[in-house]
Amino acid sequence: MKILVVDDSAIQRKMMVRVLNMNGFDHVIEAADGMAAVKILDEETSLLITDWQMPKMDGLHLVQFVRNIPNFSHMPILMATTEGEREEVLSALNAGVNDYLIKPFTQESFLTKVKMLLEVSGA
């Protein structure tokens, strides 16, 4: 199972990767923006975790791009972002995000969302 973590903050990416690795997810890859994520996204990707505000291609556009690819139409996507207004959450959900996590978040809440998304998807 491969998890792709996309965030322009290296610190935030490393924290998520560390938490995932410490909890048995050993195939975690990183990207600093949506454009980089598109280049490394492949059939083995089981979960996409993305920030919203990033250079080159933001998280919302990444989600829209991914959802337009038939092979990834059902891949679970978690948006982990500081954008917490109702309109942003609704925009993300309408774009195809499966769940939403507002930063800052606890390791426990992050892991709960990841495990739930993977379980529901059957990954």
Side-chain angles (χ1 to χ4, degrees):
M1 163 181 339
K2 182 163 79 173
I3 298 174
L4 174 55
V5 175
V6 188
D7 198 309
D8 61 325
S9 166
I11 293 170
Q12 191 69 38
R13 278 195 324 271
K14 295 297 180 196
M15 184 279 297
M16 288 187 275
V17 169
R18 182 179 51 80
V19 169
L20 291 166
N21 289 159
M22 288 174 26
N23 286 276
F25 300 101
D26 56 357
H27 196 178
V28 182
I29 54 175
E30 307 172 43
D33 59 65
M35 292 299 289
V38 165
K39 292 176 184 175
I40 58 177
L41 185 68
D42 65 24
E43 299 287 329
E44 294 177 14
T45 307
S46 302
L47 173 65
L48 171 63
I49 302 169
T50 185
D51 185 20
W52 187 317
Q53 297 296 329
M54 299 180 291
K56 299 181 185 175
M57 178 190 281
D58 66 29
L60 190 62
H61 287 103
L62 173 60
V63 170
Q64 293 166 337
F65 179 86
V66 167
R67 287 299 184 226
N68 283 316
I69 301 171
N71 292 344
F72 300 117
S73 63
H74 298 294
M75 178 183 62
I77 300 175
L78 172 63
M79 184 164 281
T81 181
T82 58
E83 303 299 323
E85 296 296 321
R86 183 176 187 273
E87 294 77 28
E88 282 96 3
V89 174
L90 290 174
S91 292
L93 293 171
N94 288 332
V97 166
N98 297 92
D99 210 341
Y100 201 92
L101 189 59
I102 299 172
K103 295 176 187 176
F105 49 80
T106 65
Q107 291 181 12
E108 292 78 22
S109 63
F110 175 66
L111 275 174
T112 298
K113 299 252 185 203
V114 166
K115 289 177 181 178
M116 185 270 308
L117 287 171
L118 289 171
E119 184 176 308
V120 168
S121 74

